[in-house]
Amino acid sequence: MGGADRGCEQRDGGVTVERSSTGKRNLMIGVFCALLCAAVWIIESDAYRALMPEDSRKITVGVFSDSYWEVQNGYSYQIVNDAIEKFEKQNPGVHVEYVSGVLKEDYSEWLSEQLLSENAPDVFFVLGDDFSSFANAGALKDLTSLMEEDKDFDSSAFYSSALSAGQYEQKQYAMPFECAPKLMFVNRTILDAENIAMPDNDWTWEDFYKICSAVTRDTDGDGMTDQFGEVGYTWEEAFESNGVRLFSQDGSECFLTDPGVEQALQFMERLETLNAGYNVTEHEFDLGNVVFQPMSFSEFRAYQSYPLSVKKYSGFEWGCIPMPAGPDGENISTLDTLLVGINSETRHTQNAWEFVKILTMDPDIQSEIFDYSEGVSVMREVTESEQTLQSLIEDSGSEESLNLSILSEAVEKSIVSLRFPGYEEAREKVEQAVRQIIDGSGNISTDQIIWNREINRFLEEQ
């Protein structure tokens, strides 16, 4: 009974029955092929989704009901709904749900409670102020490997500054959804009347000061200054544009003694003396009496609906340029970014990732930001498109006031807004320090050292 093609089986009665091992292999191969064909049919026909538990065919999303940019917006769910519709078409049988009615002012608390109760959504929007706290607490899934292993993912499609807004300790914990840089808005009508050329995009503090000095005057001869150079330019803009890194990323240390800080404080003193103690307000800019005002691009887009809209009431022409550069800095400002992250405890990682990609990387969805929001798309090709230009022209009513190359460059060169637990309190301490140093009569560098020690003591206690 030997031989490679023979086998034997001992039965209970002691009788040996020979069986062909070749036949056994053929039977096993046939069964395997049948199962494989069945599996292929099930997958291609989406029939397998019907066999999945209901919970595995649903992902949940955390979203707030109003605008991230602090303006009235009747389309707060429009982009999300359109993204859901597209996702569900691409993924039959998988449904996306969200809780409606959570206001932005309540959203952080609501989301924190959901995370603590282990009932948080699979995907959720992350406010800029919350990102580092959530990442540090382990609430956000590290997306680095998902990005690296996804052949459809292209990091170069994003503005690098926007993408870095979702990074924490060299890892990607959230994707950018929309953003807004800060730009300098310029009353071109005053410049024309004063025979002053529009500043170049690479203008400096000195250019800024000279124009402010030239236009600040009494225009009607009543002895009162009624035309001004700037309003709203603060120490924060001065620090940013002079290369100052004020805090460490984790908020454990303040660098108020940075040499760039002293230069910025001296420059702020010079600017303030031009107004001779008069408190210039944004209302003066609305009326057309001020040349320069720093403004988030989202504010500019929302500005058209204000009662004192420049477009409807003041009758002056305006444009936008980058912020002026300090002697040790560049023409840059902070980028505010709304992010989207994935719950680190989700059981639906791949579906969650696919939905995040539609929100942040789909050109059709991203282009809707210019229709239904006040921000800027985080995708370069969308922001620089002709469609975007036409949309913004319709909003502003003027092609001359907008330059997409300026907007795009401002986003790309922006620095990421630094946030950490206790940031607002630390910022208020710096605000107090700056005000007392400028208003005081002491030595600036000495005052910097004193205040830096006090702020660092405060940070150590946090």
Side-chain angles (χ1 to χ4, degrees):
M1 292 189 296
D5 293 333
R6 310 291 290 178
C8 63
E9 179 181 340
Q10 183 70 40
R11 293 188 175 177
D12 292 341
V15 179
T16 300
V17 180
E18 295 182 350
R19 173 176 295 173
S20 168
S21 53
T22 300
K24 184 189 296 185
R25 283 199 303 271
N26 290 340
L27 177 62
M28 292 176 64
I29 292 172
V31 171
F32 174 77
C33 291
L35 291 173
L36 181 61
C37 291
V40 170
W41 175 81
I42 290 173
I43 291 173
E44 290 185 346
S45 66
D46 285 329
Y48 77 99
R49 298 185 187 277
L51 304 175
M52 296 167 63
E54 177 65 27
D55 184 56
S56 67
R57 292 184 282 124
K58 179 181 73 175
I59 61 172
T60 53
V61 180
V63 61
F64 45 89
S65 64
D66 44 353
S67 172
Y68 178 67
W69 309 108
E70 308 292 348
V71 297
Q72 291 185 348
N73 187 327
Y75 301 99
S76 56
Y77 295 122
Q78 183 69 49
I79 302 176
V80 173
N81 285 335
D82 289 345
I84 290 173
E85 181 179 358
K86 176 165 281 196
F87 173 83
E88 291 182 345
K89 283 182 179 179
Q90 295 178 3
N91 299 270
V94 184
H95 302 290
V96 183
E97 297 179 359
Y98 61 85
V99 175
S100 61
V102 181
L103 296 175
K104 183 198 169 191
E105 62 183 29
D106 302 323
Y107 180 71
S108 295
E109 182 178 355
W110 173 83
L111 184 55
S112 297
E113 291 174 351
Q114 300 300 304
L115 288 166
L116 287 172
S117 65
E118 299 183 350
N119 195 36
D122 300 295
V123 174
F124 49 84
F125 284 86
V126 183
L127 308 187
D129 290 347
D130 296 336
F131 171 67
S132 60
S133 298
F134 286 160
N136 184 59
L140 292 165
K141 179 176 287 293
D142 181 1
L143 307 179
T144 308
S145 61
L146 288 169
M147 294 163 56
E148 293 173 347
E149 295 169 7
D150 190 333
K151 60 180 177 57
D152 295 325
F153 180 82
D154 179 12
S155 61
S156 66
F158 297 93
Y159 288 106
S160 59
S161 56
L163 192 62
S164 64
Q167 294 170 1
Y168 183 79
E169 296 183 346
Q170 288 75 56
K171 294 182 179 180
Q172 194 80 35
Y173 284 96
M175 299 299 294
F177 173 68
E178 62 176 320
C179 62
K182 185 167 285 187
L183 296 168
M184 184 69 82
F185 287 84
V186 187
N187 184 322
R188 296 168 54 215
T189 299
I190 293 180
L191 293 185
D192 290 343
E194 299 287 347
N195 199 28
I196 298 173
M198 186 81 164
D200 295 329
N201 294 340
D202 59 352
W203 65 319
T204 66
W205 281 0
E206 281 306 307
D207 298 325
F208 183 32
Y209 179 81
K210 287 178 181 178
I211 294 175
C212 288
S213 178
V215 302
T216 302
R217 64 187 185 88
D218 171 19
T219 62
D220 57 12
D222 66 353
M224 301 286 290
T225 302
D226 51 32
Q227 182 173 275
F228 306 94
E230 60 82 22
V231 62
Y233 187 83
T234 71
W235 60 269
E236 290 177 289
E237 284 85 34
F239 283 13
E240 291 163 358
S241 61
N242 202 38
V244 173
R245 177 178 172 232
L246 187 56
F247 296 106
S248 60
Q249 185 176 24
D250 61 0
S252 63
E253 189 175 1
C254 178
F255 307 114
L256 196 63
T257 54
D258 186 300
V261 171
E262 183 172 3
Q263 293 175 321
L265 294 174
Q266 291 172 340
F267 179 65
M268 292 300 298
E269 282 186 329
R270 292 175 64 199
L271 274 181
E272 290 188 8
T273 58
L274 293 176
N275 298 329
Y278 181 82
N279 181 32
V280 184
T281 66
E282 291 184 6
H283 179 62
E284 298 282 357
F285 184 83
D286 295 338
L287 295 176
N289 300 330
V290 184
V291 177
F292 299 114
Q293 181 179 353
M295 196 183 298
S296 166
F297 193 74
S298 61
E299 292 180 77
F300 158 71
R301 296 194 63 198
Y303 198 77
Q304 306 307 314
S305 63
Y306 287 179
L308 290 171
S309 166
V310 169
K311 172 183 167 185
K312 293 183 179 178
Y313 297 103
S314 296
F316 63 83
E317 298 295 326
W318 65 336
C320 60
I321 54 177
M323 303 297 286
D328 292 337
E330 300 179 70
N331 302 95
I332 59 176
S333 61
T334 296
L335 185 72
D336 193 2
T337 309
L338 176 61
L339 303 162
V340 185
I342 297 177
N343 187 344
S344 60
E345 301 298 322
T346 184
R347 293 178 295 164
H348 318 302
T349 298
Q350 194 58 44
N351 279 334
W353 172 241
E354 294 300 326
F355 183 66
V356 166
K357 286 199 301 179
I358 286 180
L359 280 172
T360 62
M361 289 189 65
D362 186 282
D364 293 333
I365 297 300
Q366 277 287 303
S367 66
E368 291 189 4
I369 288 171
F370 292 101
D371 297 323
Y372 302 119
S373 183
E374 293 74 37
V376 176
S377 169
V378 295
M379 295 183 68
R380 185 179 287 102
E381 71 169 273
V382 173
T383 295
E384 296 177 355
S385 69
E386 182 65 26
Q387 177 184 345
T388 295
L389 177 60
Q390 294 306 315
S391 177
L392 295 179
I393 289 174
E394 290 176 8
D395 283 349
S396 67
S398 171
E399 184 172 357
E400 294 181 350
S401 66
L402 296 165
N403 186 322
L404 287 187
S405 65
I406 291 177
L407 175 61
S408 186
E409 185 175 0
V411 174
E412 183 61 46
K413 293 176 63 176
S414 291
I415 56 178
V416 177
S417 180
L418 181 63
R419 294 290 186 269
F420 51 83
Y423 171 81
E424 285 303 323
E425 293 84 353
R427 180 195 169 282
E428 289 175 6
K429 285 284 187 183
V430 176
E431 175 88 45
Q432 182 182 2
V434 168
R435 194 69 269 152
Q436 291 200 17
I437 292 173
I438 291 177
D439 292 343
S441 57
N443 180 272
I444 290 181
S445 59
T446 301
D447 288 344
Q448 284 178 256
I449 294 172
I450 295 172
W451 273 103
N452 196 64
R453 288 173 180 167
E454 180 171 334
I455 294 170
N456 277 322
R457 281 196 297 269
F458 167 80
L459 293 174
E460 289 173 3
E461 295 170 357
Q462 300 306 300

